[in-house]
């Protein structure tokens, strides 16, 4: 029983540390104008299936800024389209100082070539499904839950420990022989 309580305590502590770390990470991202950066890579959530099967909706991609000249055919890049939307697609051709891109799941090439000023960077890696959690955590309800649940847990556990200490002190006082 003692071992089980110890394991639950350790797991709860690790969970709280993870939640607080993720919340802090996302909070810093909000402060930085919505850009979440980890180890020099901008973390972005994939919102469409245009790059399936390379990565699906709900994945996150880590995008590292690179020089335009360092981008090669078959690299997966992230860029701003002419309307200002952020897109992650594969480079299928490099010509005349422009990059021709295409989503792996799309039938045709993108209509607007990528120019140096619109390039954000090159995808370094992706992690599936975490994007759903990040998008939820970025929402108002998600932030409330990510901060509120650990906070409530800390308050309740502190009150519980305090009540237990009071009960133990009362038991010790009652057990002492009266003069």
């Amino acid at each position: 029983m003692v071992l089980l309580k110890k394991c639950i305590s350790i797991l709860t502590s690790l969970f709280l540390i993870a939640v607080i770390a993720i919340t802090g990470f996302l909070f810093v991202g909000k402060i930085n104008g919505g850009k979440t950066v980890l180890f020099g890579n901008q973390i972005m959530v994939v919102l469409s299936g245009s790059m399936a099967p390379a990565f699906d909706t709900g994945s996150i991609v880590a995008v590292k800024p690179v020089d335009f000249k360092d981008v090669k055919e078959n690299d997966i890049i992230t860029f701003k389209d002419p309307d200002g939307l952020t897109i992650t697609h594969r480079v299928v051709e490099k010509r005349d100082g422009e990059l021709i891109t295409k989503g792996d799941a799309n039938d045709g090439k993108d209509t607007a070539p990528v120019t140096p000023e619109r390039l954000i960077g090159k995808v370094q890696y992706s992690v599936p499904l975490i994007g759903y959690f990040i998008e939820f955590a970025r929402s108002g309800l998600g932030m409330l839950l990510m901060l509120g649940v650990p906070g409530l847990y800390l308050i309740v556990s502190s009150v519980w420990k305090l009540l237990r200490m009071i009960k133990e002190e009362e038991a010790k006082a009652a057990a002492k022989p009266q003069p």
Side-chain angles (χ1 to χ4, degrees), residues 127-169:
V127 181
L129 304 176
I130 292 179
Y132 290 121
F133 174 73
I134 289 175
E135 283 302 302
F136 172 72
R138 284 181 178 167
S139 71
L141 176 62
M143 277 291 199
L144 178 68
L145 288 175
M146 295 289 286
L147 293 172
V149 169
L152 185 62
Y153 171 79
L154 291 173
I155 291 168
V156 169
S157 68
S158 295
V159 168
W160 184 266
K161 286 177 185 176
L162 184 62
L163 291 174
R164 191 172 53 196
M165 286 172 47
I166 291 170
K167 187 177 177 181
E168 287 173 3
E169 288 297 320

Side-chain angles (χ1 to χ4, degrees), residues 1-62:
M1 188 65 169
V2 173
L3 182 63
L4 179 63
K5 283 184 179 181
K6 196 72 153 169
C7 287
I8 290 172
S9 176
I10 290 170
L11 289 174
T12 304
S13 296
L14 289 174
F15 175 73
L16 285 173
I17 290 168
V19 167
I20 291 168
I22 291 168
T23 303
F25 177 69
L26 294 173
F27 187 69
V28 168
K30 277 196 181 257
I31 291 172
N32 291 333
K35 291 183 179 182
T36 305
V37 178
L38 182 64
F39 304 119
N41 294 313
Q42 188 173 345
I43 306 300
M44 299 182 177
V45 178
V46 176
L47 300 174
S48 79
S50 67
M51 281 301 294
F55 34 83
D56 294 313
T57 305
S59 299
I60 60 166
V61 290

Side-chain angles (χ1 to χ4, degrees), residues 55-141:
F55 34 83
D56 294 313
T57 305
S59 299
I60 60 166
V61 290
V63 179
K64 182 177 183 177
V66 294
D67 287 332
F68 190 82
K69 63 180 173 23
D70 294 334
V71 177
K72 303 178 289 297
E73 282 186 25
N74 212 32
D75 284 346
I76 300 173
I77 62 168
T78 299
F79 58 94
K80 293 283 186 184
D81 76 355
D83 297 329
L85 297 173
T86 303
I87 298 177
T88 300
H89 280 171
R90 188 177 305 276
V91 176
V92 293
E93 188 179 340
K94 190 173 181 179
R95 66 170 179 219
D96 302 327
E98 296 178 328
L99 304 171
I100 309 303
T101 56
K102 176 186 174 297
D104 290 356
N106 295 351
D107 291 332
K109 298 174 183 175
D110 297 334
T111 55
V114 178
T115 55
E117 62 275 358
R118 293 198 351 247
L119 177 68
I120 295 172
K122 189 161 82 169
V123 173
Q124 301 300 301
Y125 60 89
S126 69
V127 181
L129 304 176
I130 292 179
Y132 290 121
F133 174 73
I134 289 175
E135 283 302 302
F136 172 72
R138 284 181 178 167
S139 71
L141 176 62

